[in-house]
Amino acid sequence: MMLAAGIAPGSIAAVTFSEYAANELNARVAEYVTDLLDGRIPVPLECVFETPLSHTQRTNLERALDEFDDLTCSTIHAFCQ
């Protein structure tokens, strides 16, 4: 929702406890953005997204995908360092 609303990936920190969870979270967010841009609403997001996406949501998600490497998905320890 944050990415679709236009919040830049570099302004988002997703923090969790384990490296595995951080990697999974990063992969899942990337997959969800790709699914949304391909016209598929991931099941966990069905209650918050309608199809089709608005022009603004699509534009924001396309930009987010281009800047995706700026998203912080890390453990608490890595984030604090």
Side-chain angles (χ1 to χ4, degrees), residues 10 17 22 40 50 57 80:
F17 292 101
R40 295 183 303 274
E50 296 180 15
Q57 288 174 320
C80 289

Side-chain angles (χ1 to χ4, degrees), residues 16-76:
T16 187
F17 292 101
S18 71
E19 275 297 323
Y20 178 84
N23 291 332
E24 178 69 22
L25 182 58
N26 190 62
R28 193 172 298 179
V29 172
E31 179 183 340
Y32 285 0
V33 170
T34 301
D35 283 350
L36 289 166
L37 288 173
D38 287 343
R40 295 183 303 274
I41 306 295
V43 173
L45 301 180
E46 287 177 345
C47 62
V48 293
F49 278 102
E50 296 180 15
T51 53
L53 296 176
S54 72
H55 175 72
T56 301
Q57 288 174 320
R58 175 169 282 288
T59 300
N60 290 339
L61 288 172
E62 288 169 348
R63 183 175 46 89
L65 199 54
D66 289 339
E67 300 172 6
F68 194 76
D69 289 341
D70 296 338
L71 179 70
T72 298
C73 286
S74 69
T75 64
I76 293 169

